[in-house]
Amino acid sequence: MKKPHPSRALSPQEQDALAAELDALRDSVVADLGERDARYIRRIVRISRYSAVFGRIALMFGFVPLLWPLAVLALGVSKILENMEIGHNVMHGQYDWMNDPRLNSQTYEWDNVGTSDNWRKTHNFKHHTYTNILGLDDDLGYDITRITGAQRWNPGYLLQPAYNVVFALLFQWGVALQDMKLGRYVLGRRPLTEMFAKLRPIVRKSGFQLFKDYLFFPLLAGPNLLAVPIGNLIANGMRNVWTYSIIHCGHFPAGVRIYTRAECKNESRGHWYARQMNGSANIEGSRLLYILSGHLSHQIEHHLFPDIPAHRYPEMAPKVREICERYGQHYATGPFIRQFGSVIGKFFLYAVPNLQRRPRTA
Amino acid sequence: MTVTATAGQPAWTHSLFRSGWLDGSALNFFLEELNPAWSLVRPAVRIRQIIEETHDTRSFVFKPAWGFGRAIAGQHVGIGVDINGRRHERRYSISSAPARGLVTITVKREPNGKVSNHLHDRIKVGDRVFVSPPQGDFVLPSPAPQKLLLIAAGSGITPLMAQLRSLLSGRYSGSIVLLNYVRSQQDRIFGAALDELAERHPQLSVHWCLEKENAERFSASQLQQRVPDYAERFALLCGPAGFMQVVRQHWHEQTLDERLRFEYFGTPQPFKPDDKPAGVAAHIALARSGRSIVAEANQSALAALEAAGETPSYGCRMGICQSCRCRKVSGPVRNLLTGAVSHEPNEEIQLCISAAEDDLVLDY
């Protein structure tokens, strides 16, 4: 039922040559980093901050016609920019070379119920090091979705098309709790005291977020008490659904390869590069889509060069694609609708057990 | 002049940012938008005046932002500038007497100094520089000893000038001798100001020791001749490392170490580079614990730390995940992936892909 992956296997020599070419591309961009990149990220920060201020103030005057939806949109866009183009990318160390304490990967705290410390571990380390390795990369289906036949089926997956709608709406909570692996505690495999200790920073962070969006700003609004929290809820929801969609387009569409642990034992740098190429998928679209996705539209380039300022990916993409083609590696890309459609297709396809018995992968 | 480099932001803003119950970063953003000097992270203040001291030395006068505190004479401040998108910070001694109001730093142009050259070539009156609070323990005991000897070489005069100005503007009634070693007549930093101070205050005597014109250098006999009672005086010393080594050696031989305070300029050099056993490429000094460990050639700093029994945090061990990020205070590191060598002080590095090229100081 599954076609063989379109990329050909690379010999160790080819892997080394591939690594050398990608390293050279990386070096050329690193050598060119400077004023232009600093100006770009500071402009995005400014847009995000002012759009949040406009949104929050305008929400308080929700009785003015048309102002309320505009305010929600502004706040939602601000949160999207902050999470995607600023938070995610800053925490990857993309702007550490600027030596600006406000854009430091180790101290940045994002506008999200999840803590940055947690994210740096689950995302920067686990996901980016073990990308698409079944059993090591927790982002493969986020422990709740079956997106490949290699995952063992259970009847719970029958509901995955439905519960993914809820997951999308509450995505930031999923991200916040991902590393907790709450199932362990529910099943009694780990002590509850450990769960409470691990939950404490998450509760503190999310408590602040809830306080801000649903108590502090609504109370500031006075008579317009209800319009503000509802607006905040929708803005948060907008951001949740958008990030969910972009992130699910990163590694789950058709043409993306899943790896086994055995394949990646003692892998070379070239093999790691090839795995990042084959394990990621891009989205084609407008510059606006690129920026709002935090340039995760260029997931392949991001996974090859996670610490290069993301707004550089579009100009690196043609070279990466050319290298891919020369080495016979598949470069998975397509418009948003097609990529996301392909992911939703997998939700349905893998909700049911595999149609053919396939030998279990090691 | 550059002194020991220290951490980026003050501890209280760090805890503010991390406290969780105040969105410090948002507050900070809008404060900076209103006025860059109101930043909670790193205030940027305008340069009010630039004074040409010598052909290669300039003083920069600025009004510090709130939260700067009051400097003690002899301390230094962090000065940051953005050069092609990158922020570079160096520490410079304050040369003015501590007072409310304006602060003066004095900067000598270093041959390859990124920041000193930028300050000299690019910064004009009205431009902003980032300033961090004063630090340093190169200060006089309190109350100040009645007999003082200040020994300066080159731009080492800057912290001593602050001491002099502070002593002479206050109630200090003791006697001060300043031994000032400079290359030539035209390298006399604060020449006119010192002559004028000496004229107004008989308690101060200033000795200019000119290397080029008079071939006068520090030696035991030269010191004996210039300052016969030097052993009775409490001494403050500041200058280039080589010069200070010679002076300290002399004080040591006279068992006067207790009566000498000194400050090194330039990046700190806690080790002699010539006593390394075979196989050891470099020493790594750990600034927080004061420990010193050895690194082998081509060994990542992460591996060197682990071999020495330290437990740094790490993740991927291949330069991707940033878990092992650490601030390098000084020294050259080579990127094991690209081979690029960086000498930049105060730089964030990834321990897993950085190898010590020579002795390093890590903020670990």
Side-chain angles (χ1 to χ4, degrees):
Chain A
M1 100 182 203
K2 209 176 162 198
K3 286 175 290 185
H5 193 267
S7 294
R8 68 180 172 85
L10 297 173
S11 70
Q13 290 78 8
E14 281 177 312
Q15 286 176 14
D16 290 346
L18 172 71
E21 290 203 39
L22 289 169
D23 280 342
L25 173 58
R26 174 201 165 74
D27 291 348
S28 68
V29 177
V30 168
D32 188 47
L33 293 180
E35 190 63 40
R36 187 184 134 204
D37 308 270
R39 241 200 317 254
Y40 174 80
I41 192 65
R42 290 195 177 124
R43 201 173 78 212
I44 296 290
V45 168
R46 198 159 272 144
I47 292 170
S48 161
R49 290 287 188 199
Y50 280 109
S51 141
V53 165
F54 168 77
R56 293 216 185 264
I57 293 176
L59 269 180
M60 296 180 188
F61 299 92
F63 44 84
V64 180
L66 280 179
L67 193 58
W68 190 82
L70 210 62
V72 174
L73 186 70
L75 188 56
V77 166
S78 165
K79 280 175 181 271
I80 285 170
L81 283 176
E82 197 281 335
N83 274 197
M84 308 288 273
E85 187 69 321
I86 306 168
H88 167 263
N89 291 339
V90 164
M91 283 191 280
H92 264 296
Q94 293 182 358
Y95 298 95
D96 278 358
W97 57 272
M98 285 171 61
N99 207 11
D100 182 335
R102 298 162 303 182
L103 299 172
N104 182 293
S105 64
Q106 302 307 297
T107 55
Y108 192 86
E109 192 60 56
W110 62 355
D111 181 16
N112 191 296
V113 293
T115 65
S116 290
D117 282 336
N118 213 331
W119 175 258
R120 280 183 271 265
K121 181 179 157 208
T122 56
H123 180 81
N124 287 5
F125 167 47
K126 283 193 188 163
H127 172 57
H128 274 271
T129 308
Y130 305 120
T131 314
N132 282 25
I133 304 179
L134 202 62
L136 289 178
D137 181 3
D138 293 338
D139 284 15
L140 263 184
Y142 298 94
D143 285 336
I144 62 164
T145 310
R146 187 168 178 261
I147 47 105
T148 160
Q151 279 168 288
R152 197 198 295 246
W153 182 84
N154 71 50
Y157 288 128
L158 285 170
L159 294 174
Q160 71 178 20
Y163 63 65
N164 259 282
V165 175
V166 182
F167 185 40
L169 286 167
L170 299 174
F171 191 53
Q172 63 168 343
W173 295 94
V175 169
L177 296 172
Q178 182 187 7
D179 196 42
M180 291 291 303
K181 300 195 192 304
L182 288 167
R184 298 180 296 183
Y185 306 105
V186 176
L187 296 174
R189 288 200 199 121
R190 293 279 200 124
L192 285 175
T193 46
E194 180 192 288
M195 179 178 86
F196 290 124
K198 281 189 158 191
L199 270 176
R200 194 169 302 145
I202 302 173
V203 168
R204 223 170 71 164
K205 176 77 193 285
S206 52
F208 170 68
Q209 293 288 25
L210 293 174
F211 164 78
K212 183 172 81 172
D213 281 343
Y214 303 111
L215 207 64
F216 179 74
F217 284 112
L219 284 178
L220 270 188
N224 212 18
L225 198 75
L226 274 181
V228 174
I230 295 172
N232 289 343
L233 188 71
I234 297 175
N236 279 326
M238 252 174 79
R239 185 266 323 268
N240 285 346
V241 171
W242 175 251
T243 48
Y244 171 94
S245 317
I246 292 298
I247 289 171
H248 276 70
C249 286
H251 302 285
F252 307 154
V256 170
R257 226 191 110 177
I258 312 285
Y259 289 77
T260 63
R261 287 185 202 219
E263 285 175 289
C264 307
K265 239 184 191 152
N266 300 320
E267 72 177 354
S268 66
R269 187 164 170 79
H271 188 274
W272 180 83
Y273 266 138
R275 178 157 57 83
Q276 303 302 329
M277 283 176 163
N278 288 303
S280 311
N282 282 8
I283 305 167
E284 287 162 3
S286 64
R287 174 124 197 266
L288 183 67
L289 178 129
Y290 294 167
I291 293 174
L292 289 176
S293 73
H295 287 90
L296 290 184
S297 50
H298 294 73
Q299 191 76 242
I300 297 172
E301 287 73 22
H302 173 57
H303 265 264
L304 294 172
F305 314 109
D307 57 355
I308 290 209
H311 76 112
R312 294 278 190 152
Y313 296 153
E315 53 197 74
M316 298 172 84
K319 287 170 206 146
V320 170
R321 196 165 184 169
E322 185 267 323
I323 293 172
C324 271
E325 270 161 24
R326 234 171 338 101
Y327 284 82
Q329 302 299 297
H330 182 57
Y331 187 91
T333 184
F336 177 74
I337 294 296
R338 197 171 81 205
Q339 300 296 74
F340 196 55
S342 152
V343 175
I344 291 177
K346 284 190 180 178
F347 288 167
F348 285 97
L349 183 61
Y350 295 112
V352 294
N354 296 346
L355 298 177
Q356 295 167 350
R357 264 255 171 273
R358 292 181 337 122
R360 274 202 40 216
T361 36
Chain B
M1 227 315 163
T2 330
V3 198
T4 38
T6 28
Q9 66 200 76
W12 68 272
T13 54
H14 188 74
S15 52
L16 176 83
F17 274 53
R18 300 227 114 187
S19 68
W21 286 101
L22 176 69
D23 194 346
S25 61
L27 177 65
N28 181 62
F29 174 84
F30 290 108
L31 284 173
E32 285 179 7
E33 288 288 284
L34 291 169
N35 185 342
W38 295 347
S39 170
L40 301 172
V41 179
R42 178 68 84 242
V45 302
R46 284 190 197 287
I47 295 296
R48 300 289 185 89
Q49 195 193 348
I50 298 177
I51 304 160
E52 204 85 20
E53 303 285 359
T54 71
H55 62 99
D56 64 357
T57 304
R58 276 181 190 182
S59 290
F60 298 84
V61 184
F62 58 89
K63 186 169 179 288
W66 69 276
F68 182 80
R70 188 130 174 206
I72 307 169
Q75 287 192 313
H76 43 80
V77 292
I79 298 291
V81 287
D82 283 342
I83 305 172
N84 190 23
R86 283 175 174 78
R87 187 157 310 165
H88 299 266
E89 191 180 297
R90 302 285 187 274
R91 299 204 68 92
Y92 292 101
S93 293
I94 299 173
S95 56
S96 54
R100 256 179 257 282
L102 300 176
V103 168
T104 306
I105 55 158
T106 302
V107 180
K108 183 176 169 186
R109 192 194 277 273
E110 298 289 322
N112 291 310
K114 234 177 213 146
V115 177
S116 65
N117 280 296
H118 184 87
L119 287 170
H120 275 254
D121 295 336
R122 295 288 169 86
I123 295 294
K124 300 178 298 294
V125 170
D127 289 347
R128 286 183 188 273
V129 297
F130 299 94
V131 176
S132 67
Q135 284 175 352
D137 48 14
F138 185 52
V139 296
L140 275 173
S142 177
Q146 278 303 298
K147 292 185 96 178
L148 286 172
L149 170 59
L150 312 186
I151 308 171
S155 57
I157 184 66
T158 46
L160 297 175
M161 191 64 185
Q163 313 266 22
L164 268 181
R165 284 175 165 153
S166 156
L167 287 167
L168 296 174
S169 65
R171 290 201 202 96
Y172 183 72
S173 59
S175 120
I176 312 169
V177 176
L178 169 66
L179 266 185
N180 203 349
Y181 294 83
V182 294
R183 196 161 299 142
S184 71
Q185 197 69 32
Q186 56 158 348
D187 295 307
R188 296 192 330 151
I189 302 171
F190 307 128
L194 282 170
D195 291 346
E196 193 203 312
L197 274 179
E199 204 160 291
R200 264 199 315 190
H201 301 276
Q203 69 199 107
L204 168 70
S205 69
V206 176
H207 298 255
W208 291 100
C209 309
L210 304 175
E211 189 188 323
K212 205 166 135 197
E213 284 88 346
N214 304 339
E216 185 171 359
R217 284 166 201 238
F218 178 88
S219 70
S221 57
Q222 184 259 351
L223 174 68
Q224 184 65 42
Q225 194 195 336
R226 284 278 193 186
V227 196
D229 65 347
Y230 75 92
E232 296 161 28
R233 292 179 175 271
F234 189 90
L236 291 176
L237 166 67
C238 190
F243 171 82
M244 290 179 53
Q245 195 62 40
V246 177
V247 178
R248 283 178 64 191
Q249 185 63 35
H250 181 74
W251 252 255
H252 183 67
E253 283 162 12
Q254 307 291 312
T255 61
L256 288 169
D257 306 74
E258 300 271 289
R259 314 257 310 145
L260 178 71
R261 260 182 213 188
F262 52 87
E263 175 151 270
Y264 276 97
F265 270 3
T267 44
Q269 293 161 332
F271 310 109
K272 295 249 175 295
D274 48 340
D275 59 352
K276 277 175 223 138
V280 172
H283 293 278
I284 302 178
L286 311 180
R288 294 191 195 172
S289 63
R291 232 192 124 188
S292 160
I293 65 167
V294 293
E296 291 160 29
N298 293 320
Q299 186 185 32
S300 74
L302 180 64
L305 280 164
E306 288 171 340
E310 298 285 340
T311 51
S313 62
Y314 67 87
C316 65
R317 303 186 82 94
M318 54 190 292
I320 309 160
C321 76
Q322 317 286 337
S323 302
C324 63
R325 235 168 217 286
C326 177
R327 203 170 53 86
K328 177 194 78 181
V329 178
S330 65
V333 287
R334 187 161 40 85
N335 184 317
L336 289 168
L337 295 180
T338 65
V341 176
S342 167
H343 293 262
E344 184 69 22
N346 259 332
E347 176 186 50
E348 295 268 336
I349 61 167
Q350 291 165 275
L351 295 173
C352 67
I353 52 161
S354 300
E357 277 283 283
D358 202 339
D359 294 345
L360 295 185
V361 182
L362 292 182
D363 181 23
Y364 178 87

